[in-house]
Amino acid sequence: MASPVNSPVPQRLYPFLAVSNLSIGLALSAAFFIYEVTKTKYTRKLSEEVMLAGLASFLLVCHKLGSSLLL
């Protein structure tokens, strides 16, 4: 008989994780927007753009899924 799967993080931390993921994701989205607006096409770095956009997207998706990806 299989036993139920338990979360490694207590349920009381779920709201904190959701809010922190959302806050950091929005801050990184703002940083990406500011980066795109202030740099010229000759001074942009693809690696920096991908890192900012990817990390912001990941954190916003984690918030959307109820922080289940990081748990």
Side-chain angles (χ1 to χ4, degrees):
M1 178 166 237
S3 62
V5 177
N6 292 329
S7 174
V9 176
Q11 284 187 343
R12 61 184 171 82
L13 289 179
Y14 286 176
F16 170 75
L17 290 174
V19 170
S20 62
N21 283 343
L22 179 62
S23 301
I24 295 169
L26 289 175
L28 288 173
S29 295
F32 176 73
F33 178 74
I34 291 170
Y35 178 82
E36 289 294 319
V37 170
T38 58
K39 299 286 185 179
T40 66
K41 72 177 186 177
Y42 302 109
T43 60
R44 291 183 185 157
K45 296 180 184 173
L46 181 62
S47 60
E48 194 167 337
E49 289 183 31
V50 169
M51 181 207 50
L52 275 174
L55 192 56
S57 296
F58 176 73
L59 289 171
L60 291 173
V61 166
C62 286
H63 166 71
K64 180 83 172 165
L65 296 177
S67 302
S68 63
L69 290 179
L70 291 179
L71 303 178

